[in-house]
Amino acid sequence: MSEQRFTLEDLRRVLREAAGADDGVVFGGDVQDVEFTDLGYDSLALLETVSRIEREYGISLGDAVIGEATTPRALVRAVNEQSQDEP
C-alpha cells in the first residue's frame, strides 16, 4: 500500500461493496468503537470485507484480524499497521 492511510470512509466503502451496507452507515464518532455485530455485520461479511481490503491494498491481514478487529476503529488500525509492515 502507498503512503496513503486507510480511513473509516475507506472501510465504509469496502463494507458497502462487500456486504451491501446501507449508505447511511457512518463510522464517525462513537460508532467507531461499536462491535461489527452490533452494526449488523456477521463474520461472513467481515471475511469478504477483509478479503477485498487485502486485494485492493496489496496487503495480507491474516485470519486473526477478523477475530481481533471487532470494531471499525480496530480494523482500520490493523490495516494501517500492516501496510506499514509491507515492503
Side-chain angles (χ1 to χ4, degrees):
M1 190 165 128
S2 68
E3 294 296 317
Q4 181 179 355
R5 305 273 302 164
F6 186 76
T7 65
L8 288 169
E9 181 59 29
D10 294 326
L11 176 58
R12 186 189 68 79
R13 176 186 53 78
V14 174
L15 273 168
R16 187 180 64 240
E17 293 169 357
D22 182 353
D23 285 335
V25 175
V26 178
F27 291 121
D30 293 337
V31 179
Q32 294 181 64
D33 296 313
V34 175
E35 300 278 329
F36 283 113
T37 53
D38 293 336
L39 292 171
Y41 298 105
D42 61 13
S43 59
L44 198 54
L46 291 177
L47 182 64
E48 177 61 24
T49 298
V50 167
S51 178
R52 285 175 181 253
I53 290 169
E54 288 177 329
R55 285 192 308 269
E56 185 173 331
Y57 291 90
I59 61 174
S60 178
L61 294 170
D63 295 335
V65 168
I66 293 175
E68 294 172 5
T70 60
T71 65
R73 183 188 310 269
L75 184 53
V76 167
R77 184 181 317 121
V79 170
N80 286 319
E81 287 172 356
Q82 182 62 34
S83 67
Q84 291 174 356
D85 293 342
E86 293 291 320

